[in-house]
């Protein structure tokens, strides 16, 4: 159930001070090749952390 106060909030309005992604960031977020590369990098970093702990 949605609250009445939340019903009137529009994302990225003038009252919000959060950063909105630019066109380059949006392209990276939707690019499957870049997502796969980031997946590999994050997994390698996780392997390094696990190896240090054992």
């Amino acid at each position: 159930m949605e609250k009445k106060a939340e019903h009137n909030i529009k994302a990225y309005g003038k009252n919000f001070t959060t950063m909105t992604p630019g066109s380059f960031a949006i392209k990276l977020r939707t690019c499957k090749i870049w997502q796969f590369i980031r997946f590999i990098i994050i997994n390698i970093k996780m392997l390094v952390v696990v190896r240090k702990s054992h």
Side-chain angles (χ1 to χ4, degrees), residues 11-54:
Y12 307 129
K14 291 183 180 180
N15 294 332
F16 290 93
T17 58
T18 58
M19 292 178 59
T20 57
S23 62
F24 182 71
I26 291 173
K27 287 178 185 175
L28 284 179
R29 291 177 186 181
T30 57
C31 178
K32 297 292 183 189
I33 297 169
W34 178 247
Q35 289 178 10
F36 181 72
I37 292 170
R38 288 296 301 158
F39 176 77
I40 298 299
I41 292 171
I42 290 170
N43 279 328
I44 291 171
K45 287 181 179 182
M46 286 177 19
L47 287 174
V48 169
V49 169
V50 169
R51 284 221 170 150
K52 286 182 180 179
S53 68
H54 284 97

Side-chain angles (χ1 to χ4, degrees), residues 1-15:
M1 184 159 35
E2 192 173 356
K3 296 179 183 178
K4 288 185 180 182
E6 294 177 357
H7 183 69
N8 295 328
I9 296 175
K10 293 183 180 178
Y12 307 129
K14 291 183 180 180
N15 294 332

